[in-house]
Amino acid sequence: MKKEITGVMVYYYEVCKRKLWYFYNEIQMEQGNENVEIGKVLDEETYKRDKKHINIDNIINIDFIRSKGILHEVKKSNKIEEASILQVKYYLYFLHKKGVTNIKGKIDYPLLKQSVDIELNEEDIVNIEQILNNINEIVYKTIPPKLEKKRICKSCAYYDLCFI
Ligand code: SF4
């Protein structure tokens, strides 16, 4: 059954296309993974005063909107990742398609004590539309993309599935 492309899928597209395939096809092994647990703790402990988890059409799940017109995504990572930036651009793209254009994004990195401002431009829109086509091609294949070892594999919830 065709599913909508979520922000997490766009993130996985960027970090590992095999991970995207597993996730889309509902092979989920996230529970108990230490990195995911850290994420949950941070999520519970950080930014308590903000209204959290704004879900739009079950497609995008924004961590919170603090001031008017800025959506926030909180990342537990200790480095700034292109995949997170793409994920937030996808949120902005999705809202843009719904007619919400006066909004920007911000990624908060509590471990780094830094934030990154995100805006969507015309080039991003073209890029995201190409990515959505690519995602649709990947996830409907009957087998996952070829295994390619990456730096992130050791901390990936699917490690056992790929390497053991
Ligand atoms: S273990 Fe590596 S190759 Fe396998 S899904 Fe995770 S990141 Fe991708």
Short mmCIF file of all heavy atoms in Angstrom, two decimals, residues 15-20 22 146-163, ligand 1:
data_model
loop_
_atom_site.label_atom_id
_atom_site.label_comp_id
_atom_site.label_asym_id
_atom_site.label_seq_id
_atom_site.Cartn_x
_atom_site.Cartn_y
_atom_site.Cartn_z
N VAL A 15 20.77 9.64 4.79
CA VAL A 15 21.82 8.94 5.55
C VAL A 15 22.07 7.52 5.02
O VAL A 15 23.22 7.07 5.01
CB VAL A 15 21.56 8.88 7.08
CG1 VAL A 15 21.54 10.25 7.68
CG2 VAL A 15 20.31 8.11 7.44
N CYS A 16 21.02 6.81 4.59
CA CYS A 16 21.21 5.46 4.07
C CYS A 16 19.93 5.00 3.37
O CYS A 16 18.88 4.86 3.99
CB CYS A 16 21.58 4.49 5.19
SG CYS A 16 21.69 2.78 4.60
N LYS A 17 20.07 4.69 2.08
CA LYS A 17 18.87 4.32 1.31
C LYS A 17 18.36 2.94 1.70
O LYS A 17 17.18 2.64 1.56
CB LYS A 17 19.17 4.44 -0.18
CG LYS A 17 19.37 5.92 -0.54
CD LYS A 17 19.89 6.17 -1.90
CE LYS A 17 20.07 7.67 -2.15
NZ LYS A 17 20.93 8.37 -1.18
N ARG A 18 19.26 2.13 2.22
CA ARG A 18 18.84 0.81 2.69
C ARG A 18 17.98 0.95 3.96
O ARG A 18 16.97 0.29 4.15
CB ARG A 18 20.10 -0.01 2.96
CG ARG A 18 19.87 -1.48 3.18
CD ARG A 18 21.24 -2.17 3.26
NE ARG A 18 21.15 -3.50 3.76
CZ ARG A 18 21.09 -4.59 3.01
NH1 ARG A 18 21.13 -4.51 1.71
NH2 ARG A 18 21.02 -5.79 3.56
N LYS A 19 18.42 1.84 4.81
CA LYS A 19 17.67 2.13 6.04
C LYS A 19 16.28 2.66 5.68
O LYS A 19 15.27 2.29 6.29
CB LYS A 19 18.45 3.17 6.86
CG LYS A 19 17.86 3.49 8.20
CD LYS A 19 18.88 4.24 9.05
CE LYS A 19 18.31 4.64 10.37
NZ LYS A 19 19.26 4.63 11.45
N LEU A 20 16.22 3.52 4.68
CA LEU A 20 14.94 4.03 4.20
C LEU A 20 14.04 2.88 3.76
O LEU A 20 12.86 2.83 4.09
CB LEU A 20 15.20 4.99 3.02
CG LEU A 20 13.99 5.32 2.14
CD1 LEU A 20 12.99 6.18 2.90
CD2 LEU A 20 14.44 6.02 0.87
N TYR A 22 14.12 -0.32 4.66
CA TYR A 22 13.68 -1.08 5.84
C TYR A 22 12.54 -0.35 6.55
O TYR A 22 11.54 -0.93 6.93
CB TYR A 22 14.81 -1.23 6.86
CG TYR A 22 15.89 -2.23 6.52
CD1 TYR A 22 17.21 -1.99 6.90
CD2 TYR A 22 15.59 -3.43 5.89
CE1 TYR A 22 18.22 -2.91 6.63
CE2 TYR A 22 16.60 -4.35 5.62
CZ TYR A 22 17.90 -4.08 5.98
OH TYR A 22 18.89 -4.99 5.72
N LYS A 146 21.58 -2.22 -2.27
CA LYS A 146 22.82 -2.94 -1.96
C LYS A 146 23.45 -2.43 -0.67
O LYS A 146 23.43 -1.22 -0.40
CB LYS A 146 23.79 -2.70 -3.13
CG LYS A 146 24.81 -3.77 -3.31
CD LYS A 146 25.46 -3.59 -4.70
CE LYS A 146 26.92 -3.90 -4.64
NZ LYS A 146 27.81 -2.81 -4.37
N LEU A 147 24.00 -3.36 0.09
CA LEU A 147 24.65 -2.98 1.36
C LEU A 147 25.97 -2.25 1.11
O LEU A 147 26.83 -2.74 0.38
CB LEU A 147 24.91 -4.26 2.18
CG LEU A 147 25.62 -4.10 3.50
CD1 LEU A 147 24.83 -3.20 4.45
CD2 LEU A 147 25.86 -5.45 4.15
N GLU A 148 26.08 -1.09 1.68
CA GLU A 148 27.34 -0.34 1.61
C GLU A 148 27.69 0.10 3.01
O GLU A 148 26.91 0.83 3.64
CB GLU A 148 27.18 0.91 0.73
CG GLU A 148 27.15 0.60 -0.75
CD GLU A 148 26.77 1.82 -1.57
OE1 GLU A 148 26.95 2.96 -1.09
OE2 GLU A 148 26.26 1.62 -2.69
N LYS A 149 28.82 -0.36 3.50
CA LYS A 149 29.20 -0.04 4.88
C LYS A 149 29.48 1.46 5.02
O LYS A 149 30.15 2.06 4.18
CB LYS A 149 30.43 -0.84 5.28
CG LYS A 149 30.63 -0.85 6.77
CD LYS A 149 31.60 -1.91 7.18
CE LYS A 149 31.63 -1.93 8.71
NZ LYS A 149 32.48 -2.93 9.24
N LYS A 150 28.91 2.02 6.07
CA LYS A 150 29.10 3.46 6.32
C LYS A 150 29.57 3.68 7.75
O LYS A 150 29.45 2.79 8.58
CB LYS A 150 27.76 4.20 6.16
CG LYS A 150 27.12 4.03 4.82
CD LYS A 150 25.77 4.69 4.83
CE LYS A 150 25.11 4.57 3.47
NZ LYS A 150 24.95 3.21 2.99
N ARG A 151 30.00 4.88 8.00
CA ARG A 151 30.45 5.23 9.34
C ARG A 151 29.31 5.09 10.37
O ARG A 151 29.52 4.71 11.50
CB ARG A 151 30.97 6.67 9.34
CG ARG A 151 32.28 6.84 10.05
CD ARG A 151 33.02 8.11 9.68
NE ARG A 151 32.24 9.11 8.97
CZ ARG A 151 31.63 10.13 9.56
NH1 ARG A 151 31.70 10.29 10.85
NH2 ARG A 151 30.95 11.00 8.85
N ILE A 152 28.09 5.38 9.93
CA ILE A 152 26.96 5.36 10.86
C ILE A 152 26.45 3.95 11.16
O ILE A 152 25.63 3.77 12.05
CB ILE A 152 25.78 6.20 10.34
CG1 ILE A 152 25.28 5.68 8.99
CG2 ILE A 152 26.13 7.68 10.27
CD1 ILE A 152 23.84 6.05 8.72
N CYS A 153 26.93 2.94 10.42
CA CYS A 153 26.36 1.59 10.57
C CYS A 153 26.43 1.08 12.02
O CYS A 153 25.48 0.47 12.51
CB CYS A 153 27.07 0.61 9.66
SG CYS A 153 26.71 0.88 7.91
N LYS A 154 27.55 1.34 12.69
CA LYS A 154 27.73 0.80 14.05
C LYS A 154 26.67 1.31 15.02
O LYS A 154 26.34 0.65 15.99
CB LYS A 154 29.13 1.15 14.56
CG LYS A 154 30.16 0.25 13.94
CD LYS A 154 31.34 0.01 14.86
CE LYS A 154 32.22 -1.09 14.30
NZ LYS A 154 33.47 -0.60 13.79
N SER A 155 26.14 2.50 14.78
CA SER A 155 25.13 3.02 15.70
C SER A 155 23.72 2.90 15.12
O SER A 155 22.77 3.43 15.68
CB SER A 155 25.44 4.48 16.04
OG SER A 155 25.48 5.23 14.85
N CYS A 156 23.60 2.18 14.01
CA CYS A 156 22.29 2.06 13.36
C CYS A 156 21.48 0.92 13.99
O CYS A 156 22.01 -0.15 14.27
CB CYS A 156 22.51 1.79 11.87
SG CYS A 156 20.99 1.45 10.97
N ALA A 157 20.19 1.15 14.15
CA ALA A 157 19.31 0.13 14.73
C ALA A 157 19.23 -1.11 13.85
O ALA A 157 18.89 -2.19 14.32
CB ALA A 157 17.92 0.72 14.93
N TYR A 158 19.56 -1.00 12.57
CA TYR A 158 19.46 -2.14 11.65
C TYR A 158 20.80 -2.87 11.48
O TYR A 158 20.92 -3.70 10.59
CB TYR A 158 18.99 -1.66 10.27
CG TYR A 158 17.58 -1.09 10.29
CD1 TYR A 158 17.34 0.28 10.12
CD2 TYR A 158 16.49 -1.92 10.49
CE1 TYR A 158 16.06 0.79 10.13
CE2 TYR A 158 15.19 -1.43 10.50
CZ TYR A 158 14.98 -0.07 10.33
OH TYR A 158 13.73 0.44 10.35
N TYR A 159 21.75 -2.54 12.31
CA TYR A 159 23.09 -3.11 12.16
C TYR A 159 23.03 -4.64 12.09
O TYR A 159 23.62 -5.27 11.21
CB TYR A 159 24.02 -2.66 13.31
CG TYR A 159 25.41 -3.20 13.17
CD1 TYR A 159 26.36 -2.53 12.40
CD2 TYR A 159 25.80 -4.39 13.78
CE1 TYR A 159 27.65 -3.02 12.23
CE2 TYR A 159 27.08 -4.90 13.62
CZ TYR A 159 27.99 -4.21 12.85
OH TYR A 159 29.26 -4.71 12.69
N ASP A 160 22.32 -5.25 13.04
CA ASP A 160 22.27 -6.72 13.08
C ASP A 160 21.69 -7.28 11.79
O ASP A 160 22.12 -8.32 11.29
CB ASP A 160 21.41 -7.19 14.26
CG ASP A 160 22.14 -6.97 15.59
OD1 ASP A 160 23.27 -6.46 15.56
OD2 ASP A 160 21.55 -7.29 16.63
N LEU A 161 20.69 -6.60 11.28
CA LEU A 161 20.03 -7.06 10.06
C LEU A 161 20.99 -7.00 8.86
O LEU A 161 20.98 -7.87 8.00
CB LEU A 161 18.83 -6.12 9.81
CG LEU A 161 17.64 -6.67 9.06
CD1 LEU A 161 17.15 -7.96 9.67
CD2 LEU A 161 16.53 -5.63 9.04
N CYS A 162 21.82 -5.99 8.83
CA CYS A 162 22.74 -5.82 7.71
C CYS A 162 24.01 -6.66 7.83
O CYS A 162 24.52 -7.13 6.83
CB CYS A 162 23.15 -4.34 7.59
SG CYS A 162 21.84 -3.33 6.91
N PHE A 163 24.49 -6.82 9.07
CA PHE A 163 25.86 -7.37 9.19
C PHE A 163 25.97 -8.69 9.94
O PHE A 163 27.04 -9.25 10.03
CB PHE A 163 26.77 -6.32 9.85
CG PHE A 163 27.01 -5.15 8.96
CD1 PHE A 163 26.30 -3.97 9.14
CD2 PHE A 163 27.92 -5.22 7.91
CE1 PHE A 163 26.50 -2.88 8.30
CE2 PHE A 163 28.13 -4.14 7.07
CZ PHE A 163 27.42 -2.97 7.26
S1 SF4 B 1 23.49 -0.78 9.23
FE1 SF4 B 1 24.38 0.68 7.76
S2 SF4 B 1 23.80 -0.12 5.75
FE2 SF4 B 1 22.47 -1.10 7.26
S3 SF4 B 1 20.64 0.16 7.32
FE3 SF4 B 1 22.00 0.88 8.93
S4 SF4 B 1 23.19 2.52 8.04
FE4 SF4 B 1 22.26 1.40 6.37
#
